[in-house]
């Protein structure tokens, strides 16, 4: 029993750091996990010694290179991701803009795959980046099946603050989710920056659930000029990936969808 509890603690540490955007102290980690500091110190020392975690000169910790190697090993054995990466790269080249596959993870938007087209490099995104759901067009598609009270409970108020500084009303967010479901795509203007637009379409699994989105990021003027052609391009890519998922299981995407029906830790 003690061994199992120790294993759980190690997994809690790794899962917590997966969602952190900057290094954290041992004390902050102990507080976040509601775990005795002595236990955290001991387990962190073990993980640092085996390179699962790394510690900087100030004593703060983050994921180490072995965690990265584990991700590479997953990519080598995954079947969907190589196909998805080819589609993303093709769309990026054809459209000439930043193209992504995004999933909802722990009630945040996660950039899973990203490619940059032949121009607009200043809009480049980083795979593994996370963003509040309300400032992403993709969320309007990914949350289509989720009860409104669950959405309200799990997205904190600060996540509704847009790049302009204005606060997005929750009711408007829900209306946009409904409209995205009807249209089968979503166009977002000014969520991140008033000069930047995004467009996205759903990638659905064998049950017709939106498990991810194929989306692009580009200057708003460019989006306005080419909207119909870009949506058609995105739809072709998403249909190819959705067709693949009709015959194959993508555990990561299914997990992302199913977890939206559960409260995130600490939300209640």
């Amino acid at each position: 029993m003690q061994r199992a509890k120790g294993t759980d603690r190690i997994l809690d540490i790794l899962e917590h750091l997966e969602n952190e955007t900057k290094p954290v102290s041992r004390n902050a980690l102990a507080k976040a996990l509601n775990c005795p500091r002595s236990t955290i110190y001991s387990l962190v020392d073990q993980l640092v010694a085996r390179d699962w975690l790394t510690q900087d000169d100030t004593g703060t910790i983050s994921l180490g290179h072995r965690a990265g190697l584990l991700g590479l090993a997953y990519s080598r054995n995954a079947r969907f991701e190589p196909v998805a990466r080819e589609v993303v790269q093709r769309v990026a080249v054809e459209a000439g803009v930043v193209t992504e596959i995004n999933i909802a993870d722990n009630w945040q938007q996660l950039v899973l795959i990203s490619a940059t087209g032949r121009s607009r490099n200043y809009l480049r995104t980083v795979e593994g980046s996370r963003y509040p759901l309300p400032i992403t067009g993709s969320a309007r598609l990914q949350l289509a099946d989720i009860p409104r009270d669950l959405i309200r409970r799990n997205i904190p108020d600060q996540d509704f603050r847009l790049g302009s500084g204005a606060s997005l009303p929750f009711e408007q967010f829900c209306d946009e989710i409904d409209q995205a479901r009807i249209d089968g795509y979503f166009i977002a203007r000014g969520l991140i920056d008033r000069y930047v637009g995004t467009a996205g379409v759903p990638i659905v699994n064998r049950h017709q659930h939106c498990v991810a989105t194929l989306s692009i990021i580009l200057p708003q003027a460019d989006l306005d000029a080419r909207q119909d052609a870009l949506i058609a391009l995105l739809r072709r890519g998403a249909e190819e990936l959705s067709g693949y998922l009709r015959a194959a299981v993508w555990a990561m995407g299914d997990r992302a969808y199913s977890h939206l029906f559960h409260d995130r830790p600490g939300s209640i």
Side-chain angles (χ1 to χ4, degrees), residues 56-220:
D56 62 22
D57 293 338
T58 66
T60 55
I61 55 175
S62 54
L63 292 176
H65 82 274
R66 289 198 64 84
L69 293 176
L70 191 64
L72 292 175
Y74 169 82
S75 297
R76 287 196 303 270
N77 292 288
R79 297 179 180 178
F80 177 75
E81 279 82 346
V83 176
R85 192 169 292 278
E86 290 180 7
V87 171
V88 168
Q89 186 62 51
R90 185 173 71 243
V91 172
V93 170
E94 291 185 32
V97 299
V98 175
T99 305
E100 301 175 342
I101 285 182
N102 302 311
I103 63 173
D105 182 71
N106 195 29
W107 288 92
Q108 293 177 310
Q109 195 67 251
L110 173 64
V111 179
L112 186 65
I113 299 174
S114 177
T116 303
R118 58 185 176 274
S119 61
R120 315 299 185 190
N121 287 341
Y122 64 92
L123 291 175
R124 185 187 303 272
T125 56
V126 178
E127 293 180 0
S129 298
R130 294 174 179 273
Y131 300 94
L133 288 172
I135 70 168
T136 69
S138 293
R140 275 72 175 170
L141 298 162
Q142 294 161 348
L143 298 176
D145 298 333
I146 311 304
R148 298 297 180 258
D149 61 330
L150 198 57
I151 295 174
R152 174 68 278 188
R153 195 161 64 239
N154 284 279
I155 300 181
D157 290 341
Q158 62 266 27
D159 283 7
F160 286 90
R161 190 163 299 280
L162 305 179
S164 64
S167 184
L168 175 69
F170 178 71
E171 294 76 14
Q172 180 181 335
F173 184 52
C174 292
D175 290 343
E176 291 172 353
I177 292 172
D178 292 337
Q179 190 61 51
R181 183 196 299 108
I182 294 170
D183 295 338
Y185 67 89
F186 188 76
I187 300 290
R189 296 176 172 86
L191 293 181
I192 304 172
D193 181 281
R194 63 177 177 168
Y195 299 112
V196 175
T198 67
V201 297
I203 299 170
V204 300
N205 65 7
R206 61 201 177 282
H207 303 300
Q208 294 300 301
H209 298 148
C210 177
V211 294
T213 57
L214 180 63
S215 60
I216 53 175
I217 305 172
L218 68 168
Q220 185 169 304

